[in-house]
Amino acid sequence: MNKKQKKMLIRILIAAVLMVVLHFVPASGILRFVLYMIPYAIIGYDILIKAGKGVKNRQPFDENFLMAVATVGAIVLGLTQSGDYTEAIGVMLFYQVGEWFQSYAVGKSRRNISQLMDIRPDYANIEQDGALEQVDPDEVEVGTIIVVQPGEKVPIDGVIVEGSSTLDTSALTGESLPRETAPGDEIISGCINLSGVLKIRTTREFGESTVSKILDLVENASSRKSRSEAFISRFARVYTPAVCYSALALLILPPLVRMFLLDLPADWGDWLYRALTFLVISCPCALVISIPLSFFAGIGGASNAGVLIKGSNYLETLSQVKAIVFDKTGTLTQGVFEVSGIHHNKLEDEKLLELAALAESASSHPISRSLQRAYGKPVDRSRVSDIQEISGNGVIAKVDGMEVAAGNDKLMKRLGIDFIPCHHVGTIIHMAVNGAYAGHIVISDVIKPHSKQAIHDLHRAGIQKTIMLTGDIDPVARQVADELGIDEVYSELLPADKVEKVESLLQNKPSGGKLAFVGDGINDAPVLSRADIGIAMGAMGSDAAIEAADVVLMDDDPLKIVKAVKISRKCLRIVYQNIVFAIGIKLICLVLGALGLANMWLAIFADVGVMILAVLNAIRALFVKNL
């Protein structure tokens, strides 16, 4: 509870105590009026000031104006008729109670998000003349060696050059299990170093680091409004003036009809009371407050679970997803390729592997890295020249003066080289040296531990169709799809083919549903942008994928996709519950108020009571741990 909330709570308690005490004080006339105005001023002065400012700025129609008119009217009635001012104080008191609940709920959601904001580093350590100097992370250049001591945050992305440790990544991923690190490992900013001293060579400037991107995503999340929020905003702009004019009509028209048409007493006091009750009932607080709060709480709860949703519009779209398209490598599989077989014509296994590793040495593709790991020796790049990478085919390069081609079937056909088909399941790298076929290398990817469970859980959650897109060969793609239980698979696709395929899938998606794409690679960015909603595997994903995506998973666990979908659906259920509940109760009470069957206390329930119940319901969106 912050200072503002504590101050408001004190005002509420003082006003409530004074209202109860004054009930037993035998005062009358002006003294009674003055005594009752003390708790009214204590609890309502800020509402009156805001209402006055709204009128001054020619924007009077808001909840402050409604509360001010209703309570001042109730006071006038008390002065002229009943001498009872408790209803006026009660309206202000319970309205402020509702506002306090709303403030507390927003604060709780902000604290969930601020746990992520705590990843912002205050400084970076640079060693100079044998001593550590703390500098602003913005001042650290790429390639600088920084030192991270136990208990400190990693300030900038980089590679460990010395030391080993365990890292607390819970603020980023929502997972409590520490990660082991060693020299050579890439490390992202925002993690907390738990044990050993680490020396890290920075690979990015602070403004481009993971922590900066995450903070930017979180800070901008609330600016993107959902259709439900936009509707409520438009609704309130029309609804509030309409009920003000309706209350005015309720005050004027029935007494005039009674006087001139029915020849009955006008009974202005009774109709004024009805109009004031009508105003209090009609206040749209429950909708205007609880709907944005539900989305805000949903985004906060998701952030705490390691799922960054860039705005409530994306949260709403995610809840409507009926089909999910997956990239294979790095999304459903680990992207850790291992050489599982070498088949050659005349060259030795080691020589064929050496030529492949050298030819692929300029590529950062996982297959290239797996060849270099299998080769196991330092790669001398000076032996390689004239490298030509052909997207979706492979690489052609000169190694020790020989022309070496390493790639798939398409590359061999492109070069007019007869090759021997391989019937092993895996990625096949065909090799040709000086235009002659030299053999092939079999590389297999490893499926992520939770991929199968994630696909199963998505189907149970109501996802009607799961699809996998990959540039891999058909036998490998089908084996992975069958093992995971994926409904459809499309293989041997170039990056442009993936966009085309998603376009086709968007035309044939389940009726009334949305299509999501999940990927992590730089070539997934166009597809992430094209799908109804793009989901990036954030921790190891490329910057381009994270920028293009609407939802970012802070680790590479596919089960987070299931959690993201469930969070969005829970949030939207709460939103629709609040809309139906708030509008339904208000319509009933408005009719009762207009007929004179509702007093001010029922009006308070219809306004503040409904708002408090809607806010409490909205807070449920924060709790996502067991989804």
Side-chain angles (χ1 to χ4, degrees):
M1 197 184 304
N2 58 35
K3 287 183 179 179
K4 187 176 180 181
Q5 290 167 349
K6 288 178 180 177
K7 183 179 177 182
M8 176 54 70
L9 185 59
I10 291 170
R11 286 173 58 195
I12 289 170
L13 293 174
I14 291 173
V17 170
L18 286 175
M19 188 171 74
V20 172
V21 169
L22 287 173
H23 184 69
F24 298 100
V25 174
S28 60
I30 294 299
L31 178 60
R32 181 181 178 84
F33 170 76
V34 171
L35 289 175
Y36 271 90
M37 288 306 99
I38 294 172
Y40 177 79
I42 290 172
I43 197 63
Y45 73 87
D46 52 338
I47 302 296
L48 298 174
I49 291 171
K50 289 175 185 176
K53 286 181 178 178
V55 173
K56 183 180 178 182
N57 297 329
R58 298 181 181 179
Q59 294 178 330
F61 296 118
D62 61 9
E63 63 270 19
N64 297 304
F65 178 76
L66 296 182
M67 289 298 106
V69 171
T71 54
V72 170
I75 290 170
V76 170
L77 280 176
L79 271 172
T80 58
Q81 295 182 14
S82 65
D84 185 9
Y85 309 102
T86 55
E87 286 183 340
I89 299 170
V91 169
M92 279 293 189
L93 179 63
F94 287 107
Y95 176 76
Q96 294 285 34
V97 169
E99 288 288 296
W100 185 87
F101 267 96
Q102 181 255 345
S103 173
Y104 181 80
V106 170
K108 189 171 179 61
S109 184
R110 285 191 185 279
R111 283 194 296 276
N112 264 21
I113 292 180
S114 69
Q115 289 177 5
L116 267 180
M117 307 305 277
D118 286 341
I119 64 180
R120 185 189 297 276
D122 301 317
Y123 60 85
N125 294 321
I126 296 179
E127 191 170 357
Q128 291 186 347
D129 301 324
L132 291 182
E133 180 182 347
Q134 293 185 355
V135 299
D136 191 317
D138 281 313
E139 298 175 3
V140 179
E141 297 180 356
V142 174
T144 304
I145 302 296
I146 60 173
V147 179
V148 181
Q149 300 180 98
E152 292 183 332
K153 299 184 187 78
V154 177
I156 307 171
D157 297 0
V159 177
I160 298 174
V161 295
E162 185 180 319
S164 58
S165 181
T166 52
L167 299 176
D168 177 1
T169 63
S170 58
L172 296 173
T173 66
E175 300 296 332
S176 58
L177 189 66
R179 292 187 181 182
E180 300 290 335
T181 58
D185 289 348
E186 293 186 2
I187 188 169
I188 59 175
S189 50
C191 303
I192 298 175
N193 182 20
L194 296 179
S195 51
V197 176
L198 297 176
K199 290 189 176 181
I200 300 168
R201 179 182 291 108
T202 60
T203 54
R204 299 181 185 178
E205 294 180 351
F206 176 71
E208 295 299 316
S209 64
T210 301
V211 65
S212 291
K213 290 182 182 297
I214 292 170
L215 293 171
D216 183 60
L217 294 183
V218 173
E219 286 164 356
N220 291 325
S222 61
S223 65
R224 298 180 175 93
K225 303 297 183 184
S226 68
R227 285 182 300 170
S228 300
E229 283 180 286
F231 163 74
I232 292 301
S233 298
R234 292 194 301 270
F235 174 81
R237 284 198 295 269
V238 175
Y239 171 84
T240 307
V243 296
C244 286
Y245 293 128
S246 298
L248 187 61
L250 187 63
L251 169 63
I252 296 173
L253 295 180
L256 293 178
V257 169
R258 287 172 63 88
M259 286 173 62
F260 296 109
L261 295 181
L262 302 178
D263 196 25
L264 294 171
D267 202 1
W268 290 100
D270 177 55
W271 289 102
L272 174 60
Y273 186 80
R274 291 192 194 191
L276 296 176
T277 304
F278 189 92
L279 275 182
V280 175
I281 294 170
S282 64
C283 187
C285 301
L287 287 174
V288 173
I289 291 172
S290 70
I291 305 309
L293 177 61
S294 299
F295 283 109
F296 190 69
I299 291 172
S303 299
N304 201 37
V307 179
L308 295 184
I309 301 173
K310 293 184 179 180
S312 53
N313 54 332
Y314 303 123
L315 190 68
E316 188 171 38
T317 303
L318 185 61
S319 71
Q320 301 164 2
V321 167
K322 295 294 184 183
I324 299 184
V325 182
F326 295 90
D327 176 54
K328 180 178 78 70
T329 305
T331 302
L332 296 173
T333 64
Q334 293 183 3
V336 178
F337 291 84
E338 298 175 353
V339 173
S340 57
I342 301 174
H343 307 102
H344 56 84
N345 285 352
K346 296 178 181 179
L347 296 175
E348 296 289 333
D349 287 4
E350 188 175 336
K351 185 63 177 176
L352 191 69
L353 192 57
E354 180 184 13
L355 291 174
L358 287 165
E360 294 269 7
S361 61
S363 174
S364 61
H365 194 279
I367 288 177
S368 171
R369 292 199 293 267
S370 69
L371 289 169
Q372 292 171 41
R373 280 196 305 272
Y375 176 49
K377 299 177 183 178
V379 175
D380 184 359
R381 293 282 295 275
S382 65
R383 296 169 59 189
V384 188
S385 62
D386 299 339
I387 298 171
Q388 181 185 359
E389 187 166 351
I390 303 171
S391 180
N393 286 246
V395 173
I396 301 172
K398 282 192 175 179
V399 179
D400 297 334
M402 299 180 291
E403 185 177 88
V404 176
N408 55 21
D409 298 6
K410 295 177 185 176
L411 182 63
M412 296 296 109
K413 291 174 182 176
R414 185 188 186 106
L415 299 176
I417 297 171
D418 293 330
F419 61 94
I420 301 171
C422 180
H423 301 292
H424 286 73
V425 175
T427 300
I428 312 301
I429 306 297
H430 292 287
M431 298 290 298
V433 179
N434 291 330
Y437 189 67
H440 52 253
I441 300 169
V442 183
I443 297 176
S444 301
D445 198 357
V446 181
I447 292 175
K448 289 183 178 178
H450 295 146
S451 290
K452 186 173 183 178
Q453 183 67 42
I455 300 298
H456 176 263
D457 289 353
L458 284 170
H459 281 132
R460 287 189 60 189
I463 299 299
Q464 297 176 13
K465 189 184 292 185
T466 53
I467 305 115
M468 186 177 78
L469 307 183
T470 178
D472 218 334
I473 61 173
D474 193 60
V476 174
R478 294 201 175 278
Q479 184 195 40
V480 172
D482 290 343
E483 187 173 340
L484 297 180
I486 287 176
D487 301 320
E488 296 178 16
V489 59
Y490 300 93
S491 57
E492 301 182 37
L493 300 174
L494 299 175
D497 297 332
K498 289 184 179 180
V499 178
E500 189 176 320
K501 181 55 66 178
V502 167
E503 293 276 4
S504 174
L505 292 168
L506 283 167
Q507 299 298 321
N508 299 293
K509 62 188 178 184
S511 177
K514 301 291 185 181
L515 182 136
F517 179 85
V518 186
D520 76 320
I522 191 166
N523 60 355
D524 293 328
V527 201
L528 287 164
S529 299
R530 182 60 194 92
D532 289 325
I533 189 159
I535 303 173
M537 310 293 277
M540 301 301 291
S542 71
D543 290 346
I546 294 173
E547 290 292 334
D550 308 312
V551 177
V552 179
L553 310 181
M554 288 314 301
D555 63 13
D556 293 321
D557 187 353
L559 286 175
K560 280 287 200 301
I561 302 166
V562 186
K563 174 155 277 192
V565 170
K566 289 183 176 180
I567 288 170
S568 68
R569 290 180 177 175
K570 178 181 179 180
C571 183
L572 265 293
R573 280 198 304 273
I574 290 170
V575 167
Y576 295 143
Q577 287 166 5
N578 282 345
I579 290 174
V580 172
F581 175 67
I583 292 179
I585 294 294
K586 281 192 179 293
L587 286 176
I588 294 170
C589 291
L590 283 172
V591 172
L592 294 176
L595 295 175
L597 300 175
N599 60 18
M600 196 68 77
W601 295 109
L602 180 63
I604 291 171
F605 167 75
D607 174 36
V608 180
V610 170
M611 179 175 71
I612 291 174
L613 292 175
V615 165
L616 291 174
N617 194 35
I619 292 175
R620 293 195 302 115
L622 279 170
F623 305 108
V624 300
K625 289 293 184 183
N626 298 322
L627 287 179

